[in-house]
Amino acid sequence: MNTLKIMTIFGTRPEAIKMAPVIKQLEADPGTTPIIVATSQHREMLQQVLEIFNIQPDYDLKIMAQQQTLSEITSKVILGLDTILQEEQPDLVLVHGDTTTTMAASMSAFYHQIPVGHVEAGLRTWDKYSPYPEEMNRMLTDDISDLYFAPTQLSKDNLLQEHHPESQIFITGNTAIDALRYTIRIDYHHDVLTAIPRDHRFILLTMHRRENQGQPMRDTFKAIKDVVRNTPDLDVVYPVHLSPRVQSVAHEVFDGVDRVHLIAPLDVVDFHGIAARSSFIMTDSGGVQEEAPSLNKPVLVLRDSTERPEGVAAGTLKVVGTATQAVKDAMLSLLNNPQEYHAMATAHNPYGDGHAAERIVSICRDYLSRKK
Ligand code: UD1
Ligand code: UDP
């Protein structure tokens, strides 16, 4: 049988987590031949995801370098994909989200005149430096794309506002919700949970964005340190991103602080298991903002703006920025106000029903069968 060759390209932890349900769906579909390409913009943090989802890339560009620059990532991805795209000639390339791998892989596919499908299309803050470089990455990717998988009506509206053709935009939900079906375990346990007394509450913290590195991170961590010191039954679990620019500030502020547990990045089963047992989450991550409502966890967003306003409108997310006093106030309010906590914890998840990947694969098949 003549099958459709669909190439997925990803490079970082969040892309892999949210592309995994699509890859699983492609693998189960007899009408498609999936080709999996990892750029390995991330190394250990990507490997964790591949193991959990049992994904074996057909190609691995292995581009990661310590403290890599944006220009390095861009040029290595474009050059690395050149021969692969030339030899494989896929019918369609699928990319996810807003990383530099996403943008460079789309550019590469365009140079080979191969159509591009963008999973998680249409997210916008309308500020090209926030998040940086992600806002520009996703705008450029959307300029190149032929198929848009918008997670929500709002992301579709953003694409229409930029005059992308409506016939090529599909509201699918976010594949982050599909991924939760693979990772949530009822009987979950982790050693870090043993280290926290049973009558303590704990906050799960992650922070990594480039625009937050340095002083904004320092200001945020100072607020967290102060609140923990003054709240004897509160712990913080912080799996620290492997970026040296994040590691250095995390250790500078938190080393020696009681009840702040700095641990290595968790695999996604562990992360979701611990998130489900936390009191609430503090993060500047994109993906975590989408997952938390499904775990019934309030989120304090450690950024000045979010491309995920649906979660703010639904009531789960509160954008607090990184100023020390604002972060402290938001933490204390959530810790001390049960009504506010309850309202945030029980909000509806606006990011989909966990069947986005099925829709995406079916749309790809329809699109390609019309072209052939
Ligand atoms: C990247 C993405 C960001 C995404 C984030 C998810 C870009 C420009 N940034 O940011 O959009 O939100 O991933 O986490 O695409 N490192 C390791 N091992 C790893 C991963 C990273 O050692 O497994 C270290 C390396 O020194 C690397 C540095 O972290 O140079 C930064 O990695 P990079 O991918 O450039 O940026 P992130 O901050 O991870
Ligand atoms: N995550 C994980 N281990 C961790 C921290 C996060 O598996 O220690 C998962 C999280 O559940 C989410 C994704 O990684 O699915 C978010 O990745 P990240 O915060 O690195 O990137 P972003 O979403 O900000 O692009």
Side-chain angles (χ1 to χ4, degrees):
M1 187 172 72
N2 206 359
T3 64
L4 300 166
K5 228 183 198 188
I6 301 186
M7 181 181 282
T8 50
I9 307 177
F10 54 84
T12 66
R13 170 172 70 189
E15 293 165 78
I17 291 170
K18 293 194 257 183
M19 198 63 109
V22 177
I23 292 172
K24 293 287 146 196
Q25 191 67 30
L26 288 169
E27 284 174 347
D29 188 329
T32 63
T33 304
I35 305 165
I36 303 169
V37 182
T39 67
S40 292
Q41 176 181 332
H42 283 174
R43 192 167 47 209
E44 302 86 341
M45 287 162 55
L46 180 66
Q47 198 49 41
Q48 286 180 314
V49 184
L50 299 181
E51 280 167 23
I52 292 287
F53 288 97
N54 193 20
I55 291 172
Q56 280 105 25
D58 298 295
Y59 298 92
D60 187 346
L61 302 183
K62 297 192 174 149
I63 66 158
M64 199 197 89
Q66 288 305 317
Q67 310 236 32
Q68 58 206 358
T69 65
L70 299 176
S71 308
E72 273 177 290
I73 304 169
T74 308
S75 47
K76 283 185 192 169
V77 170
I78 292 180
L79 281 175
L81 288 175
D82 227 20
T83 27
I84 298 174
L85 289 169
Q86 185 63 41
E87 279 167 19
E88 289 286 357
Q89 292 292 327
D91 296 300
L92 177 72
V93 161
L94 289 179
V95 294
H96 173 276
D98 54 22
T99 72
T100 296
T101 285
T102 314
M103 181 275 291
S106 311
M107 189 74 81
S108 221
F110 169 69
Y111 287 159
H112 290 267
Q113 299 190 24
I114 295 165
V116 174
H118 188 194
V119 180
E120 202 180 275
L123 278 65
R124 296 288 183 271
T125 60
W126 310 109
D127 175 350
K128 72 178 182 182
Y129 288 112
S130 177
Y132 172 81
E134 290 82 5
E135 178 75 358
M136 187 54 72
N137 282 343
R138 56 195 173 217
M139 289 179 85
L140 295 172
T141 302
D142 282 333
D143 277 344
I144 290 170
S145 293
D146 302 273
L147 284 175
Y148 303 89
F149 304 111
T152 66
Q153 179 66 48
L154 192 78
S155 37
K156 176 175 176 177
D157 292 344
N158 290 340
L159 291 163
L160 291 174
Q161 200 173 318
E162 290 172 0
H163 305 290
H164 297 293
E166 184 160 18
S167 59
Q168 287 160 237
I169 307 172
F170 304 88
I171 301 176
T172 58
N174 197 305
T175 55
I177 312 305
D178 302 33
L180 284 166
R181 293 214 315 264
Y182 295 82
T183 58
I184 289 296
R185 314 264 151 95
I186 304 291
D187 56 349
Y188 178 78
H189 187 71
H190 189 278
D191 281 351
V192 76
L193 299 175
T194 319
I196 301 172
R198 277 179 180 278
D199 57 344
H200 284 200
R201 291 182 282 181
F202 77 89
I203 296 168
L204 180 61
L205 168 68
T206 79
M207 200 166 183
H208 70 84
R209 304 231 81 84
R210 267 176 163 76
E211 70 275 14
N212 277 340
Q213 290 168 2
Q215 202 52 42
M217 233 169 235
R218 222 170 256 119
D219 294 343
T220 307
F221 294 168
K222 181 174 178 334
I224 294 170
K225 182 164 86 171
D226 288 353
V227 172
V228 170
R229 281 196 167 143
N230 291 317
T231 317
D233 62 347
L234 180 67
D235 287 46
V236 170
V237 175
Y238 178 10
V240 189
H241 191 291
L242 291 179
S243 169
R245 291 179 282 248
V246 178
Q247 290 272 337
S248 59
V249 183
H251 286 283
E252 171 196 312
V253 180
F254 289 128
D255 274 355
V257 178
D258 276 349
R259 289 177 281 109
V260 175
H261 309 266
L262 297 192
I263 57 174
L266 293 162
D267 72 43
V268 65
V269 168
D270 286 334
F271 188 80
H272 290 163
I274 290 177
R277 279 151 189 80
S278 70
S279 179
F280 61 88
I281 300 174
M282 298 177 69
T283 191
D284 65 358
S285 158
V288 177
Q289 293 177 60
E290 292 148 359
E291 297 161 348
S294 288
L295 302 169
N296 296 114
K297 299 301 163 189
V299 180
L300 299 182
V301 181
L302 304 169
R303 296 172 46 181
D304 297 326
S305 58
T306 180
E307 60 293 273
R308 288 153 173 103
E310 302 91 342
V312 178
T316 323
L317 311 180
K318 195 169 172 183
V319 179
V320 299
T322 56
T324 305
Q325 194 57 49
V327 175
K328 263 193 208 178
D329 290 346
M331 290 175 75
L332 291 171
S333 178
L334 207 44
L335 286 166
N336 298 327
N337 185 341
Q339 273 119 346
E340 179 186 339
Y341 183 89
H342 181 75
M344 288 181 80
T346 52
H348 160 74
N349 191 329
Y351 295 110
D353 60 1
H355 295 281
E358 288 151 50
R359 294 185 188 103
I360 289 167
V361 171
S362 148
I363 294 160
C364 292
R365 290 190 55 160
D366 283 356
Y367 170 79
L368 290 173
S369 58
R370 270 185 276 121
K371 277 191 81 195
K372 285 217 163 182

